[in-house]
Amino acid sequence: MLVAASFVVVMLMNFYLNNTVEDIFSTLNADLLQTNNALATHKIGMYLNMPAQAGTRIENRFEDNARYPADKVQKELRRLMRDNVMEGVHLSQISYATETGSYVGYSRDTATGALHLIKNRPSEAGFDLLTYAGKKPDSAILRQDKGYDVLSQPWFMQARTMRTPFWNASMVHSALNSGPVMTFRQPIIDASGAFRGVVSVDIQQQTLSQFLRKMKRGNLDTLFLVNRSGNLVAASGDIPPTVLSLAQHLLHSESAQVDVGKTPVDTGNGKLMLISDVTDEAHLLPLSLVIISPGNYLRSLIAHYSWRNTLGLVAVVTGVLICVIFLLLQLTGPLEEIIHRVYQLGTPHWTRLARGKMFPEIAELATELDKKSESMTALLEANRNQLETDKETGLPTLAGLVNNADIYAQRNMLALLHLSNHSSLSNLLGPEAGLGLVRFVLAQLNAIFPEGMLVARVRSDKLLLIFPPVAGMQQAEVVMSKLQEMLSSSMTASTDAGFILTGHAGCVMENITPQRLDALLLNAGIALHDARKQTSDNHVLMFTQQMYNDGLNRTVMHEQLIHALERNEFSLVMQPIIGLDDSFQCREGECLVRWHSEVLGFVSPDKFIGLAEDTGLIIPLGRWIIENACQELARFIARGAPENFKLHINVSPLELGQANFVAGLAECLKYHRLRPENICIEITETVLMNDKHVALGQLTELRNMGISVALDDFGSGYSSLSYLHMLPFDQLKIDRDFVKDILLNSRSESVIASVLDLARRFKTPLVAEGIETPEMGDKLRAMGCELAQGYFYGRPQAFDSWPVADGEFRLTP
């Protein structure tokens, strides 16, 4: 009661104080939010004005000296990159392009903060833009962009024409640091009015986000910038879509009344939103700053540090408890001996308490404990028998078998037998049918194997067999053959309900000891698992070290696969798909993923793709493949590939089953400025194995967008024809196993001819995979095949390894 009373008093005081000051804090919070908003707006404006200050500084040099030396310009640029800093955030990149086409600049590595010189030099293509590893041209070259003509750049021509400063919209260029940037362009006009060049200053959007994070009040405020179109420019953290949508609505809705920079808006979830305009001094970059703050910031600060109040309350309660416990110990001394003995209750170690001088109530308690101990001992013995004996068959359970010393009497072979159809029989015919199967198997085991074999029922459908001592592997193979024969024979378990026994077994041959028993059971389970993976029923396998190694390798590969994306160990290659009517003109290609692990080296896709699908890692891996494939395709087209080039991307059933798959793909296409016709999704018939309605809906939506669908590995499954009428597709790809023997096997030729006829009736092109010789290509062309893919036309290579120019992608004959 004392503890409860103390707790109630402290809670009431806390409640009273919180409610008393809440109104005062609410008023102060609104004023504080406006003050913070004004400060943040001022600082952001100063940061956005840094590029203009840098450009003005360079222009002043030309006003003082119309022939300002190039080496001094370079030093001035480096000084600006070093000195222009605010809140610990520097400029991202600065450069100067002259009216004669010279280009020099510096870029900052966002990870290390190091400066990298960027400079062009004459070459056969005109000028090459070089990015160096250090600040000077004698350092190593990190990047070389050939044919970079400054004078033909749109921004340079715009600066020479306008002769006034301007900002470029958010864009992605070939700077050292990837990611969207905003670029300030300052035309340089000397004292005579002559145009001398352009100073360009970049602000990376991620750098601007870093600047916003430095201005946050701990974890209580969220800041983000949007442009006049409502698009997110930078943010101090993750912005919920609902918050961004509300800010866009308030900025663009005519009905929304927003007092910019003055009146906070309630977001509806206990937070306030304050929107204010922010720009540079020249008003060339109009943005809107949005601050999200708790509805009562000062109240949140108190809640943030409420652990101190909690600690004080715990200290008070702990002190009271110590007092209470002390009093109880003083009052309950006579019970101490019983308390120490109560742990022996229900065990053979329990002895009756000696009746000395004690209170009658304690003596009565001791008598009752004696009675309870006797009853508990009997109950525990009954429970032990129940745990160690299977009540349906009378066999020992695994716990009972482990306590049997006979299993360690020079025995050296055990088997784990799984009755595969036990569960289906029990579900269809009832538990008696499943129990009948177990009893029948036990009868067969007793008839086939000699006396001395120990059997335990470790699960309703699983038996553990421990054989008498086996003299060598030859005798072990005899035991396994008998077990295989029993499983393979067609037998009935009763005269009332007939059925066939199906099962698998995993065996281990090693001396059985108490220390190794768990490991032997694990190894038997591994062998049983491998037996169940066989294509047919009734397999018996002996455990080998290779089985363990395969499982261990799979585990190691899984661990490495988890971190492969973080380590950037994946890469993409492309294999061309050519038209057989013109084998040197390529308009399609298949995107393939490669994994070069730091630990495992090169890992074949046949090994890690299946593992990724089994573990669910195919979802983030597939997202990475789509994003990078779109990026590579956009660069490929920009480099000179046909604008209608179609890239095939393999998609697993798990990816297609994601609700946001179509939206994510559409967003990726939009971001990289690709058309839906540039993408073809390759699937297999397994997409219909799980939820076919979801898969069909996703495929239909993709095709409605204009994205093509190809049915890959056609003919390799058992049900290709049954699924063909259900799947929406635009192209068939016949499995390479049929194509490889087309010149030698008439059956393969007949299969391909049938598939070609099927494709013509569906009015879809057929792609033949695995073409390795010109004779195979000629044969398929003569049969009417339109498209082909294989090593003869090109092995998979990196996108930038394929020569493209002027909208054409032609393979070298």
Side-chain angles (χ1 to χ4, degrees), residues 289-316:
L289 172 65
V290 183
I291 298 181
I292 307 297
S293 177
N296 194 334
Y297 171 68
L298 297 176
R299 186 83 169 90
S300 300
L301 283 179
I302 293 177
H304 186 66
Y305 296 103
S306 62
W307 64 270
R308 297 181 179 178
N309 297 332
T310 304
L311 185 61
L313 178 61
V314 170
V316 172

Side-chain angles (χ1 to χ4, degrees), residues 483-497:
L483 197 57
Q484 177 79 59
E485 182 180 355
M486 184 193 76
L487 292 175
S488 301
S489 302
S490 298
M491 298 172 284
T492 57
S494 67
T495 57
D496 298 329

Side-chain angles (χ1 to χ4, degrees), residues 361-489:
E361 293 83 2
I362 298 178
E364 183 179 355
L365 174 62
T367 301
E368 290 299 323
L369 287 175
D370 290 338
K371 294 179 180 179
K372 291 297 182 183
S373 180
E374 294 172 358
S375 61
M376 288 177 62
T377 301
L379 181 61
L380 290 173
E381 181 64 23
N383 288 340
R384 186 184 66 82
N385 291 334
Q386 184 176 1
L387 290 173
E388 295 184 355
T389 305
D390 180 52
K391 63 179 181 180
E392 293 182 336
T393 61
L395 292 173
T397 62
L398 181 59
L401 190 64
V402 169
N403 294 328
N404 185 356
D406 191 28
I407 67 172
Y408 308 116
Q410 298 181 345
R411 297 179 183 266
N412 59 352
M413 182 175 178
L414 61 82
L416 204 56
L417 174 62
H418 177 244
L419 310 179
S420 304
N421 58 339
H422 178 275
S423 177
S424 59
L425 287 175
S426 299
N427 293 334
L428 293 174
L429 304 178
E432 286 299 324
L435 181 57
L437 176 63
V438 174
R439 289 173 175 167
F440 176 76
V441 171
L442 293 175
Q444 293 296 317
L445 290 172
N446 290 331
I448 294 174
F449 293 102
E451 295 183 0
M453 183 182 68
L454 302 178
V455 182
R457 192 180 188 188
V458 298
R459 213 174 64 182
S460 60
D461 59 350
K462 193 173 291 185
L463 300 175
L464 175 61
L465 314 178
I466 299 183
F467 301 96
V470 175
M473 184 56 68
Q474 185 174 1
Q475 187 176 353
E477 291 176 355
V478 173
V479 174
M480 292 175 60
S481 64
K482 290 182 178 180
L483 197 57
Q484 177 79 59
E485 182 180 355
M486 184 193 76
L487 292 175
S488 301
S489 302

Side-chain angles (χ1 to χ4, degrees), residues 557 593-596 600-610:
M557 185 182 297
V593 63
R594 295 292 183 262
W595 180 20
H596 294 270
L600 305 176
F602 175 77
V603 184
S604 171
D606 294 339
K607 294 182 179 180
F608 72 84
I609 291 296

